[in-house]
Amino acid sequence: MPNEQLETAGLRNAQWTMRGLPAGTSCIPVPLATADGASCSGFLYWRGSPKTVVCLMHPREFLVTHYLIPAIIESGCAAWTQTPRSVGNDIRLEHEIALFDVAAGLNHLREAGFQRIVLLGNSGGSSLYTFYNQQALLEPAKRLERTPGGRPTGLAELAMPAPDAIVYVAPHPGQGRLLMNAIDPSLTDERDPMSVDPALDPFAASNGFAEPPSSATYAPDFVGRYRAAQEKRVARLDGIARDLVKERLAARKRAKEGGTPADRIKGAHTPVMAIWRTDADLRCWDLKLDPSDRRYGSVWGRDPFASNYGAVGFARFCTPEAWLSTWSGLTSRANMYETLKSVEQPVLMIEYSGDNTIFPGDIDRLYGTIPSANKQRAKVRGDHHGRPLAKGEPAGRDAAGARIAEWLKPLALT
């Protein structure tokens, strides 16, 4: 691709000094307007005249300095990182609407002249990109018409360029499916974060827990009851979310029909759900369950009480619509166990051997779901973010980058 084509919309070419970025790499920021009127942005890195661009995006994270960018540039491809409208905050994140953000970036890249687009999904970016791919490959009239909360999606009118290949790095099956395994089912009252059913308490010695850093030992019977109770709690939260949406829409309808000022206020108000105790995946505390190279603890830390009862955690605060679309393992459509069935493009999947967010059994199931006849899988040593598992050993992210660059080179050169 000629450099003059990359000087888009009068933006000035700038040199960046990210660690490990190959010499001669340029970057331009690109403001984007989505088809539904929202604003987001992208950053394009390149050197030379690349024909292929590799895209990185997460539904809420800021990836402008993602560790895989240097490897992408070394492969001969351009790298595109995109910020979503919900960057840093997923309180209102509905995945069906986030597809408009993805489409804005991909349409820009097609218009800029790139011949091939590769989606690189890392962690939660994997489920977002796979959901996009599923919808992009459908005839517009067959795309989802409404979000789980009932909002019209407008996807039938959206231009959705299909990707040419997909890379996955430490993919999890979707934020809803991730939370299904991590939510604490011993909470008995959603209004009381301290309420506990002792028979389901994952941090009770009577159920097999041991004080950190000793590994817990949960009996198979407890694990089975625990998993079933997790699904019941998610279903209970789904019911709460649906009731909140129904109440607001009913008030809005009454207000339009000449109701009271209170109806107008209630119809305009969007409540926020507080979802407590969401860091309790038994596999994080019992290292014998689905064994791997992982260390004790979750992606949030090694103190289960701090991460499970504290303010920071998955889905802590969200609108009812965001819960149903993103965090519910029962209603979210960004579920890779389903959306991966659409992937017939070439695929590379990389797993980290010490990942404490996605576990070996999950990866096996994800990879087995992909129907593509051209798929490859690799495992490298590292944690969920590709960092070393032991002092003095190399970072797994470097090995992952090298494997990705090797896989990308044919796409970059042809």
Side-chain angles (χ1 to χ4, degrees):
M1 165 172 288
N3 276 339
E4 57 267 21
Q5 287 183 266
L6 293 167
E7 296 292 346
T8 308
L11 292 168
R12 182 170 57 86
N13 184 355
Q15 298 290 332
W16 279 38
T17 56
M18 183 193 306
R19 182 183 68 83
L21 203 59
T25 301
S26 298
C27 175
I28 54 172
V30 181
L32 297 170
T34 68
D36 63 337
S39 297
C40 51
S41 60
F43 293 80
L44 183 65
Y45 297 81
W46 83 96
R47 65 175 179 177
S49 300
K51 301 175 182 178
T52 300
V53 60
V54 180
C55 305
L56 283 155
M57 185 178 176
H58 189 280
R60 69 178 180 279
E61 300 290 347
F62 186 67
L63 302 183
V64 70
T65 57
H66 195 279
Y67 64 83
L68 289 172
I69 293 173
I72 293 169
I73 301 300
E74 288 285 7
S75 75
C77 299
W80 169 263
T81 70
Q82 189 171 336
T83 59
R85 70 185 71 188
S86 299
V87 64
N89 188 337
D90 62 2
I91 286 178
R92 297 177 61 190
L93 173 60
E94 292 178 85
H95 264 71
E96 291 79 6
I97 308 306
L99 300 189
F100 280 77
D101 301 355
V102 180
L106 271 57
N107 277 303
H108 169 80
L109 295 170
R110 287 294 192 207
E111 292 166 5
F114 284 104
Q115 297 176 18
R116 285 171 296 278
I117 292 177
V118 179
L119 301 183
L120 197 163
N122 178 204
S123 189
S126 300
S127 51
L128 174 65
Y129 271 161
T130 311
F131 186 28
Y132 174 89
N133 184 70
Q134 179 204 51
Q135 294 297 299
L137 294 180
L138 290 172
E139 295 178 13
K142 294 183 178 180
R143 293 173 186 163
L144 292 167
E145 295 182 4
R146 293 186 176 273
T147 69
R151 177 179 176 181
T153 66
L155 292 175
E157 292 77 44
L158 182 63
M160 302 180 73
D164 299 285
I166 304 178
V167 177
Y168 295 112
V169 178
H172 64 63
Q175 292 177 191
R177 298 301 304 183
L178 175 69
L179 192 72
M180 181 77 85
N181 288 322
I183 201 164
D184 185 345
S186 69
L187 186 147
T188 58
D189 184 348
E190 298 297 336
R191 299 165 297 182
D192 179 7
M194 301 298 173
S195 60
V196 178
D197 177 355
L200 290 170
D201 187 355
F203 306 124
S206 57
N207 292 326
F209 184 71
E211 286 296 320
S214 299
S215 174
T217 302
Y218 300 115
D221 175 67
F222 177 77
V223 174
R225 290 188 293 107
Y226 190 87
R227 294 300 186 206
Q230 285 179 308
E231 185 167 329
K232 289 181 180 178
R233 185 181 172 201
V234 169
R236 182 173 75 212
L237 287 163
D238 286 356
I240 293 171
R242 289 193 181 99
D243 286 345
L244 289 170
V245 172
K246 183 178 179 180
E247 289 172 10
R248 187 175 75 254
L249 293 180
R252 187 177 300 174
K253 183 175 184 295
R254 290 194 302 271
K256 288 181 178 180
E257 295 173 347
T260 67
D263 290 328
R264 184 178 181 184
I265 293 171
K266 189 173 182 61
H269 174 64
T270 300
V272 174
M273 297 171 64
I275 316 295
W276 293 101
R277 313 246 293 273
T278 59
D279 193 32
D281 191 322
L282 299 179
R283 294 171 294 184
C284 293
W285 324 116
D286 185 345
L287 301 182
K288 298 177 292 300
L289 296 174
D290 208 348
S292 67
D293 294 337
R294 68 184 183 272
R295 296 176 293 189
Y296 182 93
S298 76
V299 73
W300 295 106
R302 297 189 179 189
D303 183 342
F305 298 96
S307 59
N308 193 48
Y309 284 85
V312 177
F314 292 128
R316 186 66 75 240
F317 303 105
C318 57
T319 63
E321 292 87 350
W323 168 263
L324 293 168
S325 176
T326 295
W327 288 111
S328 169
L330 298 176
T331 63
S332 174
R333 281 81 163 260
N335 173 359
M336 287 184 68
Y337 295 134
E338 293 299 322
T339 58
L340 271 176
K341 296 174 183 178
S342 72
V343 178
E344 297 183 351
Q345 301 98 320
V347 173
L348 172 64
M349 182 176 286
I350 293 181
E351 61 184 295
Y352 290 122
S353 66
D355 199 328
N356 56 2
T357 301
I358 180 72
F359 301 86
D362 303 320
I363 287 284
D364 289 343
R365 183 178 173 187
L366 289 174
Y367 189 73
T369 301
I370 301 171
S372 173
N374 183 358
K375 62 179 182 179
Q376 298 180 34
R377 179 179 176 181
K379 180 188 291 187
V380 297
R381 185 170 165 81
D383 69 5
H384 182 65
H385 299 290
R387 296 171 298 203
L389 294 177
K391 187 176 181 179
E393 70 179 31
R397 59 177 57 180
D398 294 334
R403 181 68 183 85
I404 291 168
E406 177 188 358
W407 188 82
L408 287 172
K409 283 179 180 178
L411 289 169
L413 296 175
T414 56

